[in-house]
């Protein structure tokens, strides 16, 4: 992974400590194995997953790694090198949703979700470490859930598929931690493959690996982490979700996914005629438009015309900014500056109100674009952004 020295880089690719050594120091024995699960960045298809639409994420080189040993005495011991505090000790038969536990709720929630589904998970010692930036919209939480689910699947011989592990992680996050996320993050972490983006249909979880290797074409996909999170996020997510459901109800369709792009203009006229709120009309236009942009970009990737995807990314950003209204000044600054400095296209990615943007750029121009963004942030008085190359990487797997 090339890191752009001109800009501050968020996370080292290498892990800070060997998780097997940490495990031995913590628990006084060897782990049964080591597993890894990546963070992800979404190329296009934002706020489409709760409308049962399409998304196109890729796995990052940044991973959560877990050293794990099975236990059969009902104890669950959890440790992360990335947060202060020691080992969290819980009993698997006393795990209850929404009962706190801070960061440990993510892996504990996976144990809870597996047991809720009837799987005999009788305890574990887990030592975690991660290079996925947290709270940057790059799914550090899903990486934690998926690596835990994968390790327990192997150690307790549960026989679950990658998609079933993703569903388990989502259940943990929705019902145990209490965060209303869609299925994209966990599916990306569990199912992505190196050199590909994942075309996921969030209705039935059918998927296709779409070849995507920017470096082979002289291109770079930069991730720019703005390092800001605006508090607006949670309520805004629920409000957008409710607005989309209202739009589908007024149109008499189960989900916005069921509205074909060719019918969008007529549908918007129908909504206006039915007295729909202006925000509902904007949300419908964004969701149906972004679903269409996923298909457009896949067609371009399949045709080997990756450069032409750039303007579609920027269109997606304008839609998120103006129709869904989930961008923020820092994200807009990344997109505007990168495009002005010669990028092929750029968009915010993830839930918005901060977090990260993706920038598609000629590799020869990547350094200059990263520098231009960093300078614009400095001039605007923002903290330096993190910038790295989003090399499409492998999904979750066992390391040893
Ligand atoms: P994102 O998934 O976009 O990074 P979230 O808010 O969904 O942001 O998840 C971040 C949370 O996940 C952190 O606040 C922490 O509780 C947990 N988490 C992520 N990575 C780690 C880690 N390496 N160690 C401990 N907890 C982590
Ligand atoms: Mg998350």
């Amino acid at each position: 992974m090339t890191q752009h020295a001109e800009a501050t880089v968020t996370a080292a690719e290498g892990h800070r400590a060997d998780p097997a050594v940490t495990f031995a120091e913590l628990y006084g024995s060897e782990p049964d194995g080591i597993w890894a699960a990546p963070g992800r960045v979404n190329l296009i298809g934002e706020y489409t997953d709760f409308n049962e639409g399409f998304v196109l994420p890729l796995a990052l080189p940044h991973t959560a790694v877990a050293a794990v040993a099975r236990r059969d005495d009902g104890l669950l011991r959890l440790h992360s090198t990335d947060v202060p505090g020691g080992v969290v000790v819980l009993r698997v038969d006393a795990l209850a949703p929404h009962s706190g536990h801070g960061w440990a709720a993510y892996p504990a929630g996976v144990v809870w979700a597996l047991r809720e589904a009837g799987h005999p998970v009788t305890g574990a010692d887990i030592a975690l470490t991660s290079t996925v930036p947290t709270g940057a919209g790059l799914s550090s939480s899903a990486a934690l859930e998926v690596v835990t689910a994968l390790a327990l699947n192997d150690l307790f011989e549960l026989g679950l598929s990658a998609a079933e592990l993703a569903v388990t992680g989502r259940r943990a996050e929705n019902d145990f931690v209490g965060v209303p996320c869609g299925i994209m993050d966990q599916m990306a972490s569990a199912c992505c493959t190196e050199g590909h983006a994942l075309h996921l249909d969030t209705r039935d979880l059918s998927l296709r690996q779409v070849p995507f290797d920017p470096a082979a074409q002289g291109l770079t996909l930069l991730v720019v982490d703005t390092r800001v999170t605006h508090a607006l996020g949670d309520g805004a997510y629920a409000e957008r979700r409710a607005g989309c459901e209202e739009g589908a109800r007024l149109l008499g369709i189960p989900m916005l996914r069921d509205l074909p792009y060719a019918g969008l203009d007529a549908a918007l006229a129908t909504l206006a005629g039915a007295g729909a709120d202006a925000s509902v009309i904007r949300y419908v236009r964004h969701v149906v438009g972004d679903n269409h942009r996923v298909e457009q970009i896949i067609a371009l990737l399949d045709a080997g015309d990756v450069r032409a995807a750039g303007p579609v990314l920027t269109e997606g950003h304008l839609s998120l900014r103006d129709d869904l209204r989930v961008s923020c000044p820092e994200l807009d600054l990344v997109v505007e500056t990168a495009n002005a400095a010669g990028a092929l296209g750029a968009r915010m990615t993830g839930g918005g109100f901060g977090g990260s943007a993706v920038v598609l750029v000629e590799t020869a121009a990547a350094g200059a674009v990263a520098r231009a963004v960093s300078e614009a942030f400095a001039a605007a008085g923002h903290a330096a952004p993190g910038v790295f190359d989003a090399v499409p990487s492998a999904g979750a797997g066992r390391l040893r």
Side-chain angles (χ1 to χ4, degrees), residues 192-246:
C192 278
T193 57
E194 205 177 328
H196 295 86
L198 181 76
H199 180 201
L200 175 67
D201 181 337
T202 62
R203 167 160 280 172
D204 61 7
L205 301 192
S206 61
L207 52 83
R208 181 167 80 88
Q209 306 290 345
V210 181
F212 179 49
D213 184 3
Q217 309 230 357
L219 297 174
T220 297
L221 185 72
L222 292 175
V223 167
V224 179
D225 173 5
T226 64
R227 300 191 198 263
V228 296
T229 312
H230 295 290
L232 205 57
D234 289 355
Y237 179 87
E239 197 270 334
R240 300 317 184 266
R241 196 170 175 147
C244 289
E245 283 162 8
E246 172 70 357

Side-chain angles (χ1 to χ4, degrees), residues 39 179 183 212 291 350 377:
V179 176
I183 190 65
F212 179 49
N291 227 24
F377 266 53

Side-chain angles (χ1 to χ4, degrees), residues 53 91 102 133 339 381:
R91 287 206 55 85
N339 283 337

Side-chain angles (χ1 to χ4, degrees), residues 117-400:
H119 300 297
V121 177
T122 51
D125 287 337
I126 303 183
L128 290 155
T129 184
S130 177
T131 54
V132 185
T134 55
L138 303 174
S139 289
S140 68
S141 62
L144 225 52
E145 292 150 12
V146 170
V147 78
T148 304
L150 182 64
L152 297 173
N153 187 47
D154 282 359
L155 292 177
F156 290 93
E157 298 176 5
L158 305 179
L160 298 174
S161 67
E164 288 168 324
L165 297 177
V167 168
T168 301
R170 184 203 184 178
R171 173 119 205 255
E173 187 150 345
N174 287 174
D175 298 342
F176 192 88
V177 184
V179 176
C181 60
I183 190 65
M184 165 170 62
D185 303 352
Q186 293 82 4
M187 281 296 287
S189 185
C191 302
C192 278
T193 57
E194 205 177 328
H196 295 86
L198 181 76
H199 180 201
L200 175 67
D201 181 337
T202 62
R203 167 160 280 172
D204 61 7
L205 301 192
S206 61
L207 52 83
R208 181 167 80 88
Q209 306 290 345
V210 181
F212 179 49
D213 184 3
Q217 309 230 357
L219 297 174
T220 297
L221 185 72
L222 292 175
V223 167
V224 179
D225 173 5
T226 64
R227 300 191 198 263
V228 296
T229 312
H230 295 290
L232 205 57
D234 289 355
Y237 179 87
E239 197 270 334
R240 300 317 184 266
R241 196 170 175 147
C244 289
E245 283 162 8
E246 172 70 357
R249 192 187 64 76
L250 290 170
L251 291 168
I253 52 178
M255 287 284 171
L256 290 183
R257 138 69 181 273
D258 297 298
L259 179 59
Y261 185 69
L264 178 58
D265 286 343
L268 296 178
T270 302
L271 287 170
D277 199 275
S279 64
V280 169
I281 294 174
R282 285 189 281 102
Y283 299 167
V284 170
R285 190 164 52 209
H286 167 75
V287 169
V288 177
D290 235 32
N291 227 24
H292 177 61
R293 282 184 283 274
V294 172
E295 293 181 309
Q296 280 182 300
I297 288 194
I298 287 169
L300 292 168
L301 298 187
D302 282 339
D305 195 3
V306 182
R307 283 175 176 76
V312 186
L313 296 178
T314 301
E315 253 178 60
H317 182 76
L318 300 181
S319 177
L320 287 159
R321 185 190 70 183
D322 300 335
D323 275 346
L324 210 60
R325 301 191 182 171
V326 295
S327 189
C328 66
E330 294 87 348
L331 288 167
D332 293 341
L333 187 61
V334 175
V335 171
E336 282 156 23
T337 309
N339 283 337
L344 296 161
R347 63 180 282 272
M348 57 154 276
T349 181
F353 305 106
S356 299
V358 286
V359 178
L360 185 66
V361 59
E362 301 285 349
T363 300
V369 166
R371 190 163 50 241
V373 171
S374 292
E375 285 169 3
F377 266 53
H382 304 320
V387 183
F388 62 85
D389 292 359
V391 178
S393 299
R398 186 170 189 158
L399 298 181
R400 58 185 199 257

